Amino acid sequence: TVDRLVGEGFRCLCAALPGANGECVPRAYIFDEVVEALHVALLQHTTSPVTLLVHDWGSAYGFLLAKHHPEAVKRLATVDIGAHTGRDNPLATVSSLLYQAVLAAAYKLGGPGGRLMLAGVVAIWKAPRPLGEVTTDMAFHYVALMHFLANTKDKLAKGDTELTLLYDNDPQRPVLFAYARNKYFQFHSQKWLNHVASTPHGRVVEFPCSHWVMLDKADEFHQCLIDWLLASGA
């Protein structure tokens, strides 16, 4: 994706989350710690607002970066993860929490047992990265998620939603949301789709593929992304 964007004349800054390159993550950094680290790294390269292109856990951190530092994010392109997942499908909710709890346990346990748990989830989701390159340190996000849910359960009970807890819901920030049709369950709600569509140049695009949209439908996704960037004021 970066090569394609650079080839089209865009400047790209790539940020790797802790553990993404196989390094040790000695403790589960909470969401705000990671977000602030990303913001500091961004400021080392530019003080101008940027367009975030995010996927999976990058989406969650991207939403929070836009919420805590709205001046830093002018547009948002998120892949397969919405800022509001909804609770319309109880089975999907239970299944999601189950695999997330397994990965949180894998990080906490570590060692052969943790790797076995991790390998099972990687196989189910058909992750494209070779299993030998995947470590339990990469699963610290799920421990952070449990911490986040524990600290926000009162707000959720009072009627707040993930859309306001994770994202600032700025109606003037253009959003592109590209998601995969062929998954066990979706990571977005109709509420999120409605928000995306309501933003300037907001666009929702469904791809007939798995969670790894940028790999499974590379040409179609890249063209969709480039068209949106140009249309929304690149």
Side-chain angles (χ1 to χ4, degrees):
T1 299
V2 172
D3 289 343
R4 178 68 185 275
L5 289 173
V6 171
E8 294 289 335
F10 295 99
R11 179 191 179 202
C12 298
L13 299 174
C14 301
L17 295 176
N21 294 316
E23 65 270 29
C24 175
V25 181
R27 64 179 178 85
Y29 304 112
I30 62 173
F31 286 176
D32 286 352
E33 288 181 292
V34 177
V35 169
E36 291 311 310
L38 289 171
H39 186 234
V40 169
L42 177 63
L43 291 177
Q44 292 176 350
H45 296 279
T46 181
T47 56
S48 299
V50 300
T51 299
L52 293 182
L53 172 59
V54 287
H55 172 254
D56 203 273
W57 273 108
S59 296
Y61 293 117
F63 297 144
L64 287 167
L65 179 61
K67 179 179 180 178
H68 294 316
H69 301 283
E71 76 288 348
V73 182
K74 64 179 179 180
R75 292 180 300 188
L76 178 66
T78 177
V79 184
D80 214 39
I81 305 292
H84 184 262
T85 56
R87 294 292 181 267
D88 299 332
N89 187 332
L91 180 60
T93 299
V94 172
S95 300
S96 177
L97 289 173
L98 178 61
Y99 96 82
Q100 290 167 350
V102 169
L103 287 173
Y107 172 80
K108 298 290 284 186
L109 180 62
R115 284 197 54 79
L116 182 61
M117 297 167 73
L118 178 67
V121 176
V122 168
I124 290 173
W125 282 100
K126 300 178 181 178
R129 197 164 183 171
L131 185 58
E133 297 180 6
V134 180
T135 71
T136 55
D137 289 290
M138 297 175 182
F140 83 88
H141 310 284
Y142 297 94
V143 178
L145 174 62
M146 300 306 161
H147 181 273
F148 175 80
L149 292 175
N151 286 322
T152 56
K153 62 182 180 181
D154 291 339
K155 293 182 180 180
L156 290 170
K158 291 178 181 177
D160 289 351
T161 70
E162 294 157 279
L163 193 57
T164 54
L165 292 173
L166 277 178
Y167 188 53
D168 63 357
N169 200 21
D170 183 349
Q172 297 306 312
R173 181 183 296 118
V175 180
L176 168 67
F177 180 53
Y179 71 94
R181 179 197 308 158
N182 305 332
K183 302 193 300 292
Y184 300 110
F185 44 82
Q186 296 295 337
F187 294 100
H188 68 269
S189 67
Q190 186 59 48
K191 185 172 185 177
W192 171 246
L193 299 184
N194 293 343
H195 169 72
V196 173
S198 72
T199 64
H201 300 285
R203 189 177 181 192
V204 175
V205 185
E206 179 189 76
F207 289 89
C209 63
S210 74
H211 178 60
W212 317 100
V213 178
M214 69 293 296
L215 297 178
D216 291 353
K217 292 293 179 181
D219 290 341
E220 296 92 331
F221 169 71
H222 292 151
Q223 192 59 56
C224 168
L225 174 61
I226 290 167
D227 290 345
W228 177 77
L229 287 170
L230 295 174
S232 59

